[in-house]
C-alpha cells in the first residue's frame, strides 16, 4: 500500500517536472523573445511574427520533445522487461538506427515528397525489421551478451546503409545529413512533423503501456508467467509492434536519439520497487523530462550551432552504460 | 595581386596544350577562356547543375574525378586545382613533376577579375581574358550602384545563411542592399535558426531551393510552415546553389536579379 502511494507521489512529481520543462522548452530559443509576450500569443494568437515563432516553431519542438522522450523511455522500460536484459534500449539495439535508415530511404527516393505518410511508414518498417532481426539472431532466450552483440551489429549495419544512401545522393547537402540521422535533433521541426509522428507514437505508446501486468508476471520467470496466463507470443508481438511504432515515428522526424531508453528506466526502477507495471508510466514521464531537458540544454550551450541532441544524451548515457556493464559483471561473477 | 604577379605567364608559343582542371570553379574559368582543344578534361562536378553554371557546356569535355592516378594518365602540361582540392592529391601530382596551379574560390568581384586574368595568362589567352574582364566591368557599370535601405537574406538548406566573406555577400553589396546575415553577426556560412529568420522578416528572401521538392532532409526548412509565411510576405527569389559556389561573368546575373527585386519593391510592383 505504501509503495502504491509512493508511486503516485513519484508520478505526480514527474508530471509536474514534465510540465515545467515543457514551458521552459517553449521559452528557450535563439531569438531573444520576451517570456510574457511569448506566453500571451500562445493563449491569444495574433498576426505577429512572434505568434508564428511560438506556434509553428517552438510549440512543435516542445511537443516532439515530450512525445519522443516519452516513447523512448517507455519502449526502453518494456524492452528491458521483455528481453529481461538490463542493457536493452532502442538506441543500443539498433531499432532507432534502422528506423532512421527507413526514413532516409523514404526521403532520398523521393517517396516522402510524393506521399508524406511514407516517411513514418518507412521508418516504422525499418524499426520493425530490426526488432524481428533481433528475435531471429538472439531470441528471447539469448543471453544479455547475445542480444547486445546482435544490437551492435544491427546498429552498425543500419548506420552504414544510411551513410551509403546519403553518400550516393547527388544532393550537395546529403553528406552532412549523416550527422542528423545518427545523433538526432529537434531544430526547426514543424507541426507537420507532429501530425505525421503523433498518431504512430500514441498508438505505439498505448500498446506498450498495456503490457505492465504481463511484464510483472514475467519477472517471476517465463514458466511461472505462462502458468499465470501470460501468453509469451502475445507479449512478444505487442512489445515488438509497440516499440516499432513509437520508436519508428520518433526517428522519422528527429533521427536516432540514443541512451534515453537506457538511463531512464534504470534511474526510476529503484523508486518503483522494480515492478514493471509501475515502471512503465514512470519511465514515459522520465523520458519526456530527460529529452525536454536535453533539448533545452543544447539550445543554451550553443544557440547558433544546432548542437545535436544525441551528442548530449550520449555524453551522459555512455558513461552510464559503462557503469552498468561493470555492475552487471560484478553481479555475474 | 601578389599571386597574379608571381604566376608564370605563358606566351603563345609556350602555351599549355594539355590542360586538366580538377575543381568546379577552375573548370568554369577554363571553359570560358581556353582555346579549342586546349582543355582536355574538367571535373565531374562541372557537369553537375547543382554546382556548375556551365553544366551544359561541360558535356563537351571528358571528365575526371580528381584522383592523382587518372590525372597523371592524361599526361597534362598544366593542372588547375582549387585551394580546397585534397592536399595529398596536389602534393602527389607535384611530386610526379606536374605543373599544378591552385585557385582560391572567389569571394569578391575583384577576385573574379583577378582569377579571370590569372587564368588568361596561364592559358596564354591574355587577350580573351582582358575582353571578358572589360565586358564584365561594362555590364557591372550598367547595373548602377544605387543603395536602397532594403535588406536581404540568402538562405540555404538546413537554415544556413551566407554572410560577409562569401561571394553571395559581395553580390548583395554590389546590388546596393543590406545583408541580414551581416547584421546578425554571421561571417562566412553560418546557421541562422528559422525563428531568428522569422523575427527578422527580410524584405528580400533569396533561397537556394532548387524547386524539386524536399529531396534531402536539409531542404525541409524551405517547406516549414513558418518559413512559407515569411516567404509569402517577403519578395522571394530562388537562385540555386551554383550561383554562389564560384564567381564568373554569370555572377552579374545574380546582382541584376537582386536589383530588379529591389526595384519592384520600391515601385510597389507585385
Amino acid at each position: 500500500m505504501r509503495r502504491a502511494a509512493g508511486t503516485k507521489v513519484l508520478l505526480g512529481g514527474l508530471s509536474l517536472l514534465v510540465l515545467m520543462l515543457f514551458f521552459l522548452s517553449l521559452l528557450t530559443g535563439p531569438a531573444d523573445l520576451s517570456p510574457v509576450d511569448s506566453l500571451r500569443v500562445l493563449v491569444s494568437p495574433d498576426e505577429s511574427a512572434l505568434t508564428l515563432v511560438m506556434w509553428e516553431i517552438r510549440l512543435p519542438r516542445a511537443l516532439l520533445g515530450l512525445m519522443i522522450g516519452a516513447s523512448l523511455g517507455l519502449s526502453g522500460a518494456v524492452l528491458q522487461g521483455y528481453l529481461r536484459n538490463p542493457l536493452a534500449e532502442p538506441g543500443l539495439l539498433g531499432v532507432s538506427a534502422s528506423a532512421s535508415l527507413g526514413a532516409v530511404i523514404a526521403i532520398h527516393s523521393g517517396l516522402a515528397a510524393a506521399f508524406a505518410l511514407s516517411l513514418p511508414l518507412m521508418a516504422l518498417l525499418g524499426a520493425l525489421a530490426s526488432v524481428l532481426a533481433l528475435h531471429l539472431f538472439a531470441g528471447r532466450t539469448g543471453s544479455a551478451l547475445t542480444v547486445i552483440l546482435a544490437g551492435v551489429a544491427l546498429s552498425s549495419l543500419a548506420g552504414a546503409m544510411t551513410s551509403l544512401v546519403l553518400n550516393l545522393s547527388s544532393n550537395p547537402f546529403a553528406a552532412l545529413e549523416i550527422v542528423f540521422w545518427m545523433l538526432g535533433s529537434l531544430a526547426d521541426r514543424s507541426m507537420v512533423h507532429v501530425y505525421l509522428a503523433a498518431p504512430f507514437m500514441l498508438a505505439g505508446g498505448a500498446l506498450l503501456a498495456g503490457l505492465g501486468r504481463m511484464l510483472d508476471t514475467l519477472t517471476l520467470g517465463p514458466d511461472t508467467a505462462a502458468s499465470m496466463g501470460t501468453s509469451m507470443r502475445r507479449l512478444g508481438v505487442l512489445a515488438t509492434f509497440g516499440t516499432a511504432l513509437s520508436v519508428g515515428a520518433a526517428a522519422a522526424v528527429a533521427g536516432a536519439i540514443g541512451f534515453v531508453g537506457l538511463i531512464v528506466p534504470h534511474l526510476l526502477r529503484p523508486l518503483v520497487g522494480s515492478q514493471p507495471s509501475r515502471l512503465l508510466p514512470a519511465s514515459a514521464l522520465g523520458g519526456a523530462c530527460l529529452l525536454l531537458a536535453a533539448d533545452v540544454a543544447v539550445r543554451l550551450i550553443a544557440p547558433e550551432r544546432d548542437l545535436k541532441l544525441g551528442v548530449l544524451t550520449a555524453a551522459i548515457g555512455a558513461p552510464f552504460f559503462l557503469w552498468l556493464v561493470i555492475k552487471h559483471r560484478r553481479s555475474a561473477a | 595581386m601578389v599571386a597574379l604577379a608571381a604566376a608564370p605567364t605563358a606566351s603563345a608559343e609556350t602555351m599549355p596544350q594539355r590542360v586538366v582542371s580538377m575543381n568546379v570553379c577552375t573548370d568554369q574559368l577554363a571553359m570560358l577562356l581556353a582555346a579549342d582543344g586546349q582543355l582536355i578534361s574538367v571535373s565531374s562536378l562541372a557537369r553537375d547543375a547543382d554546382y556548375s553554371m556551365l553544366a551544359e557546356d561541360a558535356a563537351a569535355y571528358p571528365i575526371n574525378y580528381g584522383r592523382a592516378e587518372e590525372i597523371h594518365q592524361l599526361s597534362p602540361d598544366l593542372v588547375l586545382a582549387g585551394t580546397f582540392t585534397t592536399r595529398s592529391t596536389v602534393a602527389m601530382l607535384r611530386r610526379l613533376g606536374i605543373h599544378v596551379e591552385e585557385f582560391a574560390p572567389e569571394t569578391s568581384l575583384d577576385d573574379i577579375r583577378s582569377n579571370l586574368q590569372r587564368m588568361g595568362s596561364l592559358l596564354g589567352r591574355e587577350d580573351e581574358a582582358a575582353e571578358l574582364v572589360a565586358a564584365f566591368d561594362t555590364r557591372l557599370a550598367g547595373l548602377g550602384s544605387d543603395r536602397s535601405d532594403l535588406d536581404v537574406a540568402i538562405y540555404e538548406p538546413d537554415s544556413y545563411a551566407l554572410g560577409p566573406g562569401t561571394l553571395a555577400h559581395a553580390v548583395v553589396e554590389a546590388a546596393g542592399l543590406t545583408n541580414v546575415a551581416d547584421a546578425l553577426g554571421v561571417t562566412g556560412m553560418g546557421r541562422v535558426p528559422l525563428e531568428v529568420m522569422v523575427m527578422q522578416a527580410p524584405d528580400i528572401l533569396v533561397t537556394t531551393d532548387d524547386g524539386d521538392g524536399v529531396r534531402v532532409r536539409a531542404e525541409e526548412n524551405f517547406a516549414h510552415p513558418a518559413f512559407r509565411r515569411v516567404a509569402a510576405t517577403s519578395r522571394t527569389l530562388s537562385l540555386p546553389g551554383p550561383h554562389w559556389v564560384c564567381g564568373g561573368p554569370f555572377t552579374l546575373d545574380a546582382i541584376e536579379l537582386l536589383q530588379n527585386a529591389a526595384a519592384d519593391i520600391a515601385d510597389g510592383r507585385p
Side-chain angles (χ1 to χ4, degrees), chain B residues 29-96:
Chain B
L29 295 178
M31 283 191 281
L32 287 168
L33 286 168
D36 280 347
Q38 190 181 18
L39 181 63
I40 59 164
S41 174
V42 293
S43 79
S44 58
L45 289 183
R47 284 189 186 174
D48 188 336
D50 281 334
Y51 296 91
S52 168
M53 289 294 286
L54 304 177
E56 283 178 21
D57 299 3
Y61 298 89
I63 55 170
N64 68 74
Y65 295 91
R67 291 177 294 233
E69 197 171 316
E70 61 170 329
I71 306 284
H72 182 248
Q73 286 282 313
L74 295 167
S75 41
D77 48 11
L78 173 64
V79 168
L80 304 166
T83 46
F84 286 111
T85 303
T86 330
R87 308 314 304 154
S88 54
T89 309
V90 170
M92 177 172 288
L93 289 171
R94 287 197 168 130
R95 269 206 306 282
L96 293 168

Side-chain angles (χ1 to χ4, degrees), chain A residues 176-193:
Chain A
L176 300 171
E177 297 285 274
I178 296 174
V179 180
F180 171 87
W181 293 108
M182 301 284 176
L183 294 171
S185 166
L186 291 175
D188 292 353
R189 306 280 79 192
S190 68
M191 287 310 276
V192 177
H193 295 110

Side-chain angles (χ1 to χ4, degrees), chain A residues 28-31 33 47 49-50 52-53 56-58 107-110 113 119 170-174 177 180-181 187-193 303-306 308, chain B residues 48 50-51 155-160 189-196 198-199 201 208 210 212-221 223-227 229-230:
Chain A
T28 310
L33 307 176
E47 290 299 304
L50 184 62
L52 206 53
V53 168
E56 297 290 350
I57 297 174
R58 294 216 184 153
I107 291 178
H108 286 266
S109 62
L119 178 68
S170 64
N171 192 297
F173 284 86
E177 297 285 274
F180 171 87
W181 293 108
D188 292 353
R189 306 280 79 192
S190 68
M191 287 310 276
V192 177
H193 295 110
E304 309 288 331
R305 290 272 151 222
D306 187 22
K308 298 289 182 264
Chain B
D48 188 336
D50 281 334
Y51 296 91
Y155 214 33
E156 299 228 318
D158 215 14
S159 305
Y160 277 89
M189 190 173 162
R191 203 158 185 287
V192 175
L194 197 52
E195 63 177 63
V196 177
V198 169
M199 295 307 286
T208 57
D210 48 15
D212 67 351
V214 176
R215 297 303 292 266
V216 57
R217 190 207 58 92
E219 288 176 349
E220 282 182 350
N221 61 334
H224 197 290
F227 178 83
R229 286 269 290 281
V230 173

Side-chain angles (χ1 to χ4, degrees), chain B residues 102-118:
Chain B
E102 293 173 274
F103 282 72
E106 300 85 8
T107 58
S108 69
L109 301 186
D110 267 341
D111 285 351
I112 297 176
R113 291 188 193 96
S114 61
N115 275 357
L116 276 170
Q117 281 159 347
R118 183 172 161 222

